Amino acid sequence: MRTTYRVLAWILALEVVVQAAAIAWALFGLSAWIEGGGVLDAAAMEAEPQFDGVVGFMVHGLNGQMIVPVVALVLLVVSFFAKLPRGVAYAAALFVMVLLQVLLGIVSHSIPALGMLHGALALAILVTAVLSARLTAAPASTATPAAMA
């Protein structure tokens, strides 16, 4: 179970990278499309404009609302069986942060300033997932050379 815990934590960290890459692809594609003469208004949004990177918005939304929360939930369940010191606490913190992240992603469309928290929380999730994965590392030997002799 420790290996499963570690793999899930690394997957969660990788998912944050995928999320950042997807939204960057989408926004740079949108920017290039606008610079090339595309117009983004309510009518264009309803018509679903086609530009290089539009898939990034879909990847970011579906991945963030479906895959990331499932990985975080599975990590939380596995944490109870992995018997790692602080493993449950890290997994629970990650699960709560992911739920808050999804909520911020939804609410930020109405209150754009919350988008800053959405971005900052993504970094916190990344760091916590990496620290969580590292919990499974074998502890360094604390024996002194004199004790080994």
Side-chain angles (χ1 to χ4, degrees):
M1 279 297 171
R2 294 169 79 96
T3 301
T4 304
Y5 183 96
R6 181 177 65 245
V7 168
L8 287 168
W10 281 119
I11 288 172
L12 198 55
L14 179 63
E15 285 292 335
V16 174
V17 174
V18 167
Q19 287 296 90
I23 201 63
W25 178 33
L27 290 175
F28 283 117
L30 177 62
S31 174
W33 179 71
I34 290 171
E35 288 174 4
V39 176
L40 186 62
D41 58 9
M45 292 293 286
E46 286 181 19
E48 297 182 12
Q50 294 301 312
F51 55 87
D52 183 31
V54 72
V55 174
F57 285 117
M58 290 182 278
V59 169
H60 187 81
L62 291 173
N63 194 46
Q65 290 183 14
M66 298 173 87
I67 296 171
V68 173
V70 167
V71 172
L73 178 61
V74 173
L75 177 66
L76 179 58
V77 170
V78 167
S79 73
F80 290 103
F81 301 102
K83 306 285 190 224
L84 289 163
R86 300 183 319 270
V88 173
Y90 273 85
L94 280 165
F95 184 68
V96 169
M97 285 192 291
V98 166
L99 291 181
L100 181 58
Q101 183 73 339
V102 171
L103 181 65
L104 282 170
I106 293 168
V107 174
S108 292
H109 290 280
S110 299
I111 308 170
L114 290 178
M116 291 186 295
L117 290 176
H118 184 73
L121 185 55
L123 296 176
I125 291 170
L126 175 66
V127 169
T128 307
V130 169
L131 291 174
S132 188
R134 293 183 52 130
L135 287 177
T136 62
S141 174
T142 58
T144 61
M148 288 186 199

